[in-house]
Amino acid sequence: MSITAELEPKLLDFPILSARSRGKDFVYLDNGATSLKPRSVIEAITSYYTEYSVNIHRGVYEMSERATAEYDRSREDVAALIDAPTDGQVIFTSGTTESINMVAFSWAVGHVSSGDEILVTLLEHHSNLVPWQQVCRATGAELRFLPIGPDGVVSQDRIDEAITTKTRVVAVTGMSNVTGYVPPHHTIVATARERGAAVVMDGAQFVAHRPVSVQELPVDFLAFSAHKMCGPTGIGALYVAPGRVAEMEPYQYGGDMIQAVHATESTWAPAPARFEAGTPNIAGAIGFGAATRYVRDVGMDAIAAHETELGRYLRDKVGELDFVTLYGVPGTGICSFNVRGVHPHDVGTGLDQLGIAVRTGFHCAQPLMEHFNVTGTVRASLYFYNRPEDVDALVAGLVRIRDIFA
Ligand code: PLP
């Protein structure tokens, strides 16, 4: 197979793709951890720092107005990426982790109580599991799990019984960062809405790799990070559906989130400022906006199509190796596996010697590792700038590692 023709020129947008690692051509297969950054994003951040690196909102001078306009434009671009309705809210956070914690502590603790249930899956990244454990500890609610099969697939026929009238929150991944599996969201959202439960979606992988419309998939909260989709680290967003924002309390207090402050009491600014206390990550937000424009220009449909096709090639080629065990199911650009008899860490170190970057370990998903009965896996994860040659290099590397350890 060859890379989709329309994506080929995009490879030139990523300066790091011509880098070398360990003296070899750099093969980057760790996009699940973070993506590489195109020139337009690097330039947007550099231009903020070189041309108008001043604070937003407070200044009445030209540069501050420019910084404020760019910051606000980024919010509009992020909203457009997920097709947010105009009466929804996009709050800038430091990333998916903070976004989910914000839902947990500025909304859930006030809306969940003893006798209620919070439903998650064993597929969750720790950042969509641990906050819910803490909410249950604080409120007395019960943490329950939507059943998954041995391959990590949600049991469709169990959704109806798992989401009960006691369920207040369904917190589910949009796409597993370990296997790439995409749960049946539409059924989950429709059932949750019918039972009066709010849906919190961890979109860290999903929003970066699939076209997402919160109008077609009406979740209550959607958390995602810029750095998984060509943007900078330390910035992300929480989308809040219309109606839900009025139910949220601020969870950090200070400058920028207030309307009026008196000696003994204060009032809050309207959202989203209410949830963005202090000087925000201005450069990050500007880079995030540039990243959303970039991936939309590449085309989310084209990204999804390329990853599905190359992901199939990846899984087929790795699966053909008779010394490898695969986990999960095909369908996306994430592939988890183990080389039998070799610790995943040793596989990762061996591949690194060949200039190939993969992730090894439990991928912040220890309960899923327990479910698969492994201590960790090797994960190769693609983005739209990966080529079949990257997969071929990985496969050749795995054969070499097998030979060395044999
Ligand atoms: N959820 C999933 C599925 C992820 O893959 C990640 C990052 O790896 C996160 C949450 C946490 O994202 P961040 O570290 O950007 O907050």
Side-chain angles (χ1 to χ4, degrees), residues 218-239:
V219 295
D220 296 84
F221 302 96
L222 177 67
F224 50 108
S225 301
H227 71 99
K228 310 272 191 198
M229 55 177 87
C230 296
T233 53
I235 182 89
L238 174 65
Y239 160 75

Side-chain angles (χ1 to χ4, degrees), residues 32-33 95-98 125 127 173 175 177 202 204-205 225 227-228:
T96 305
T97 305
E98 192 193 2
H125 188 282
S127 40
T173 187
M175 177 188 282
N177 64 306
D202 171 354
Q205 301 292 336
S225 301
H227 71 99
K228 310 272 191 198

